[in-house]
């Protein structure tokens, strides 16, 4: 604001300078004109000179009459010539203007000229008597008129001198005033410049402070006050440039809070912010003075351990950080704990790029997050190899469906009471052109991670429904649903569409879900399960007993079927506990009105034990392996079941 004012004042002052300078040059021009006017004083002199010459002529004429005076006709003629010359000057010279201004002047000079012309013939007869008298008579009347003209010229000259002096005085005053004005403007200019300098210095200091603030903001996380990604990367790069000294190499740690999203969802983002600040505090207190901790974004933190003379105890530091962060928090009266996973990467190759080290720490973190027991992991080259393998598998899987490499196999499910096939489970297969058959355990988790399972699951559902529609009406079809498919809003619509397209009766379709579906966004997923049930479709709980609290999940939704995990079947004949559990689940299913199916039955003993335990259905290699639809022979499988019951 003030600078603007100074700028305006400076502009005005400079404008004054320009105007004053222009005016001064105008005055100088005026002064020059005034000085030129001085030449006008020659007019007075010229007119007076004419009078003097006229008087001399009269004198010479008079003297010529006196004997021995030495004045002859030539002398008088010379005087006449001189006077005519004067007349010419007055007529055409500088005095012309003055003469012409007044008609009386013109008349007097005209008369003088006429008189001189009239006098010329008399000059030749000057020696004759009466000539001098005649000349005198001719000239005398003009003397008074010329004297009056000279007097008028003098008065005019005096008046003009007074005017010119007045003009010069005025110009002098103006010059003095302007000079004083210019001096004042100069002083004002200096003062303004000093003022603006002071303001500039002040604003420069403020600018520098603001710049420091901006630099700080650009390099720090505003929420936690920790370094941000930019500063972390800069310091990492700087460390990499000097990484070839010390006993321990440059190390970075990536930290990621586990299930932080749930805290945000449950308690709100402001609460989440407080948690992040508290975590940042704990990190700051535990990392040591030489190390840098940064928040990279969201719930991701990173620690930079520069190369040092002493060995880094990375495992010790990681354990301390895990202990510090997982200690209970109390925020706004809410007590809770939070877990953290850590990936650690040490610089092995000195020519490594910062991005490479970050990627390694990220890979180690990814590994740690998938690991339940170990929550910090060091980077190993194998992780990189695994990542590449995973990436190429992912790219191939994306094309697998279009290339017709995916197939659906069907495994029979036997109803124990009738010892007859009551249904099939649809199981996905990937026939890889080079690697052969890839089991679902290898590609389904990957498809879930990259979201491809939504597309693949829909394809299996449509295939299975279409296939089952061609089977006898008492045979059901079971299709596995991934928890990731529940995140897709169109799941129910997809099922409706698959049923409609195949013409399969909804009650013949059984959808198998795992406990993860109820763990992950349970309320929403339970609502979806109810909608599916509303279509007439049956819902089965797969792999029962492998989760943390399988029993409690039975409470959250009225399942139609419980599929006892094959790990219990495997131990049936050797472990009394497994048998007890299977009996318990079968009893539970019966009292809750749910069918119980035992999976992975491989031997007759297992089958008989399950039958005795009260399982309603069984499924396993003992009855039939998963096969392509083309190899299903319902009649043959029926006869096999018959021979089993005879045995
Ligand atoms: P699941 O749903 O529990 O399927 C049963 C698994 O046990 C199948 O493995 C089947 O081949 C295997 N199995 C059956 N009887 C026996 C036996 O007697 N002994 C042994 N050792 N294994 C037996 P598979 O086909 O490898 O499938 C593994 C898992 O992959 C499935 O477990 C299911 O969770 C998942 N899966 C398979 N197909 C799909 C699918 O289309 N969608 C989804 N979301 N998951 C699928
Ligand atoms: Mg299943
Ligand atoms: Mg299962």
């Amino acid at each position: 604001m003030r600078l603007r004012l100074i700028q305006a004042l400076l502009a005005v002052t400079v404008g004054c300078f320009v105007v004053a300078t222009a005016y001064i040059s105008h005055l100088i021009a005026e002064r020059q004109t005034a000085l030129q006017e001085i030449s006008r004083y020659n007019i007075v002199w010229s007119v007076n000179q004419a009078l003097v010459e006229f008087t001399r002529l009269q004198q010479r004429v008079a003297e010529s009459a006196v004997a021995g005076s030495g004045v002859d006709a030539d002398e008088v003629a010379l005087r006449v010539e001189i006077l005519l010359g004067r007349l010419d000057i007055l007529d055409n010279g500088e005095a012309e203007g003055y003469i012409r201004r007044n008609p009386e002047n013109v008349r007097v000079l005209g008369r003088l000229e006429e008189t001189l012309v009239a006098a010329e013939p008399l000059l030749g007869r000057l020696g004759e008597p009466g000539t001098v008298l005649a000349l005198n008579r001719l000239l005398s009347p003009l003397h008074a008129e010329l004297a009056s003209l000279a007097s008028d010229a003098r008065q005019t000259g005096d008046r003009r001198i007074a005017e010119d002096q007045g003009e010069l005085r005025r110009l002098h005053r103006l010059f003095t005033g302007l000079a004083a004005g210019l001096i004042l403007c100069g002083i004002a200019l200096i003062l303004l410049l000093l003022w603006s300098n002071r303001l500039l210095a002040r604003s420069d200091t403020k600018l520098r402070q603001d710049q420091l603030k901006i630099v700080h903001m650009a390099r720090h996380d505003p929420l936690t006050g920790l370094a941000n990604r930019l500063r972390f990367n800069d310091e990492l790069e700087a460390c990499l440039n000097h990484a070839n000294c010390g006993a321990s190499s440059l190390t970075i740690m990536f930290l990621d809070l586990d299930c932080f999203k749930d805290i945000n969802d449950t308690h709100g983002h402001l609460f989440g912010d407080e948690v992040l600040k508290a975590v940042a505090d704990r990190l700051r207190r535990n990392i040591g003075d030489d190390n840098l901790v940064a928040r990279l974004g969201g719930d991701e933190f990173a620690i930079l351990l520069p190369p040092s003379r002493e060995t880094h105890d990375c495992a010790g530091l990681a354990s301390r950080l895990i202990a510090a962060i997982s200690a209970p928090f109390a925020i706004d009266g809410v007590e809770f704990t939070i877990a953290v996973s850590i990936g650690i990467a040490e610089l092995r190759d000195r020519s490594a790029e910062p991005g490479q080290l970050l990627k390694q720490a990220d890979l180690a973190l990814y590994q740690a997050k998938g690991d339940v027991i170990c929550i910090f992991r060091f980077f190993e080259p194998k992780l990189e190899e695994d990542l590449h393998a995973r990436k190429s598998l992912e790219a191939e899987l994306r094309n697998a469906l279009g290339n017709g490499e995916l197939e659906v196999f069907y495994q029979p499910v036997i109803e124990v009471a009738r010892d007859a096939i009551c249904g099939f489970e649809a199981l996905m297969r990937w026939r890889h052109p080079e690697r052969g058959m890839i089991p679902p355990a290898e590609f389904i988790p990957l498809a879930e991670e990259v979201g491809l399972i939504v597309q693949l699951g829909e394809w299996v559902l449509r295939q299975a429904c279409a296939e089952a529609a061609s089977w006898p009406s008492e045979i059901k079809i079971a299709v596995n649903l991934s928890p990731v498919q529940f995140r897709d809003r169109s799941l129910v619509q997809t099922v409706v569409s698959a049923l409609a397209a195949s013409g399969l009766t909804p009650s013949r379709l059984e959808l198998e879900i795992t406990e993860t579906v109820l763990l992950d966004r349970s309320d929403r997923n339970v609502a979806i399960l109810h909608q599916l049930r509303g279509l007439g479709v049956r819902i089965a709980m797969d792999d029962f007993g492998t989760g943390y609290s399988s029993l409690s999940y039975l409470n959250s939704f009225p399942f139609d079927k419980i599929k006892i995990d094959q790990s219990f079947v495997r131990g049936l004949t050797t472990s009394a506990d497994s048998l007890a559990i299977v009996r318990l689940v079968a009893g539970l299913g019966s009292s809750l009105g749910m069918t119980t199916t035992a999976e992975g039955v491989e031997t007759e003993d297992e089958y008989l034990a399950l039958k005795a335990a009260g399982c309603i259905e069984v499924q396993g290699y003992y009855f039939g392996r998963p096969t392509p639809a083309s190899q299903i022979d319902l009649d043959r499988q029926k006869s096999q079941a018959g021979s089993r019951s005879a045995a």
Side-chain angles (χ1 to χ4, degrees):
M1 189 64 199
R2 279 187 180 176
L3 268 175
R4 287 247 173 91
L5 177 68
I6 289 175
Q7 281 168 352
L9 288 173
L10 276 173
V12 169
T13 314
V14 171
C16 286
F17 265 115
V18 172
V19 171
T21 313
Y23 194 51
I24 282 178
S25 71
H26 168 71
L27 286 182
I28 287 171
E30 260 190 51
R31 196 171 176 139
Q32 226 130 26
T33 316
L35 285 172
Q36 267 177 3
E37 292 288 308
I38 288 171
S39 61
R40 288 181 306 202
Y41 310 137
N42 292 341
I43 302 161
V44 179
W45 183 81
S46 299
V47 174
N48 271 299
Q49 220 33 45
L51 177 63
V52 169
E53 291 301 333
F54 187 78
T55 311
R56 270 200 198 129
L57 175 64
Q58 278 185 308
Q59 273 176 355
R60 292 295 176 265
V61 169
E63 280 168 9
S64 68
V66 180
S69 65
V71 177
D72 54 9
D74 290 342
E75 172 76 23
V76 175
L78 178 69
R79 285 292 143 204
V80 169
E81 278 302 311
I82 290 171
L83 202 53
L84 281 169
R86 283 280 153 221
L87 260 179
D88 201 37
I89 290 170
L90 287 174
D91 255 353
N92 304 310
E94 292 162 340
E96 190 198 354
Y98 164 72
I99 298 298
R100 301 244 176 266
R101 212 174 294 145
N102 189 348
E104 179 59 18
N105 296 347
V106 177
R107 189 191 62 77
V108 171
L109 288 186
R111 269 204 62 201
L112 177 61
E113 195 176 356
E114 283 165 17
T115 305
L116 290 175
V117 171
E120 265 180 346
L122 293 174
L123 295 180
R125 289 182 278 130
L126 197 63
E128 294 173 16
T131 308
V132 171
L133 199 62
L135 272 171
N136 244 340
R137 271 200 207 110
L138 198 65
L139 296 172
S140 293
L142 267 172
H143 189 271
E145 289 186 37
L146 277 174
S148 153
L149 181 67
S151 148
D152 181 64
R154 196 172 301 116
Q155 279 173 9
T156 308
D158 286 351
R159 208 173 48 246
R160 289 208 174 160
I161 285 170
E163 280 172 11
D164 288 349
Q165 278 178 340
E167 179 65 10
L168 282 173
R169 270 198 302 279
R170 188 181 69 82
L171 288 177
H172 179 74
R173 277 198 303 277
L174 278 173
F175 266 125
T176 314
L178 274 174
L182 284 177
I183 289 169
L184 283 177
C185 280
I187 292 171
L189 203 64
I190 290 168
L191 288 176
L192 282 174
L193 285 173
L194 286 175
W195 189 21
S196 88
N197 263 3
R198 242 182 57 197
L199 285 183
L200 280 175
R202 222 184 284 164
S203 70
D204 194 42
T205 318
K206 183 150 184 334
L207 201 73
R208 237 175 292 140
Q209 284 169 348
D210 287 352
Q211 265 172 349
L212 285 176
K213 215 189 268 177
I214 289 168
V215 168
H216 185 271
M217 275 162 66
R219 296 169 64 78
H220 289 82
D221 168 45
L223 179 70
T224 59
L226 296 179
N228 65 6
R229 188 183 288 274
L230 182 74
R231 182 169 167 214
F232 184 83
N233 285 348
D234 284 354
E235 304 241 341
L236 174 61
E237 205 161 336
C239 277
L240 275 176
N241 292 336
H242 305 98
N244 45 355
C245 56
S248 61
S249 56
L250 167 65
T251 305
I252 58 174
M253 294 183 172
F254 267 14
L255 294 86
D256 190 282
L257 302 183
D258 295 335
C259 306
F260 177 69
K261 195 178 166 299
D262 293 345
I263 291 184
N264 257 347
D265 290 348
T266 319
H267 301 286
H269 285 265
L270 288 179
F271 188 89
D273 285 353
E274 291 307 312
V275 174
L276 290 173
K277 280 198 244 175
V279 169
D281 265 358
R282 291 185 181 186
L283 287 174
R284 223 184 259 123
R285 266 186 269 127
N286 282 282
I287 57 149
D289 294 339
D290 298 334
N291 306 326
L292 174 80
V293 58
R295 179 176 171 224
L296 303 185
D299 59 350
E300 284 173 32
F301 296 86
I303 294 169
L304 174 69
L305 294 95
S308 108
R309 295 221 172 87
E310 285 147 35
T311 324
H312 290 315
D313 175 16
C314 296
L317 177 61
S319 306
R320 274 203 307 284
L321 292 174
I322 288 166
I325 292 173
S326 46
F329 286 90
I331 292 174
D332 294 344
V334 180
E335 273 215 23
F336 62 96
T337 54
I338 200 161
V340 64
S341 304
I342 303 180
I344 307 167
E346 289 169 321
L347 184 72
R348 290 156 197 256
D349 173 10
R350 277 174 190 166
S351 63
E353 299 278 312
Q356 218 172 323
L357 204 58
L358 294 173
K359 213 169 99 188
Q360 292 178 352
D362 204 27
L363 261 176
L365 174 65
Y366 176 79
Q367 197 66 22
K369 275 195 114 38
D371 213 326
V372 185
I373 311 152
C374 167
I375 45 179
F376 72 85
R377 278 290 290 252
F378 281 87
F379 169 79
E380 302 153 25
K382 193 183 165 299
L383 296 183
E384 216 150 35
E385 288 159 24
D386 291 352
L387 178 76
H388 285 137
R390 233 173 56 86
K391 286 277 167 207
S392 64
L393 192 70
E394 181 189 328
E396 288 169 342
L397 185 58
R398 285 190 187 278
N399 297 325
L401 191 58
N403 294 346
E405 292 164 19
L406 295 180
E407 291 174 29
V408 184
F409 276 30
Y410 299 89
Q411 186 179 31
V413 181
I414 313 296
E415 191 183 323
V416 176
R418 292 195 295 122
D419 196 16
I421 295 173
C422 59
F424 286 87
E425 179 174 4
L427 295 160
M428 202 172 353
R429 295 288 179 266
W430 179 9
R431 203 181 291 277
H432 192 277
E434 287 147 25
R435 295 169 53 187
M437 198 64 91
I438 301 180
E442 254 184 63
F443 70 88
I444 284 188
L446 176 65
E448 286 178 331
E449 207 175 302
V450 298
L452 257 177
I453 192 69
V454 174
Q455 203 188 340
L456 302 187
E458 180 176 347
W459 177 79
V460 172
L461 181 72
R462 289 183 182 278
Q463 292 282 313
C465 288
E467 191 59 42
S470 65
W471 299 335
S473 60
E474 74 277 8
I475 308 282
K476 296 190 183 66
I477 177 74
V479 177
N480 292 284
L481 285 186
S482 155
V484 180
Q485 285 175 272
F486 278 77
R487 287 183 217 151
D488 177 41
R489 292 182 185 280
S490 54
L491 175 63
V492 178
Q493 193 46 47
T494 304
V495 174
V496 171
S497 156
L499 288 169
S502 60
L504 187 76
T505 315
S507 58
R508 289 179 62 198
L509 176 63
E510 208 163 67
L511 296 175
E512 296 188 3
I513 63 151
T514 53
E515 291 165 13
T516 332
V517 170
L518 297 173
L519 187 85
D520 187 17
R521 300 166 170 220
S522 51
D523 287 349
R524 199 173 149 258
N525 292 354
V526 167
I528 295 174
L529 285 176
H530 278 292
Q531 285 180 48
L532 292 171
R533 262 284 285 278
L535 299 175
V537 169
R538 289 163 56 83
I539 309 290
M541 162 78 88
D542 203 355
D543 303 339
F544 186 80
T546 52
Y548 291 110
S549 55
S550 305
L551 282 176
S552 73
Y553 291 124
L554 288 183
N555 221 7
S556 42
F557 186 78
F559 289 94
D560 297 289
K561 182 188 267 191
I562 303 170
K563 293 189 82 172
I564 303 169
D565 190 68
Q566 53 181 280
S567 55
F568 299 103
V569 177
R570 204 70 341 105
L572 262 186
T573 47
T574 50
S575 143
D577 289 353
S578 291
L579 186 61
I581 291 170
V582 171
R583 273 201 195 122
L584 185 85
V585 176
L588 192 73
S590 144
S591 40
L592 289 174
M594 298 175 187
T595 308
T596 41
T597 306
E599 294 186 276
V601 186
E602 289 184 353
T603 62
E604 191 178 4
D605 289 348
E606 284 169 356
Y607 166 57
L608 294 173
L610 289 164
K611 196 175 175 182
C615 281
I616 297 174
E617 291 174 359
V618 281
Q619 177 184 352
Y621 294 167
Y622 179 61
F623 306 100
R625 288 184 177 258
T627 53
S630 56
Q631 290 174 25
I632 296 175
D633 181 352
L634 285 167
D635 293 333
R636 200 172 72 87
Q637 271 160 335
K638 258 187 203 159
S639 67
Q640 277 178 351
S643 64
R644 238 185 345 262
S645 46

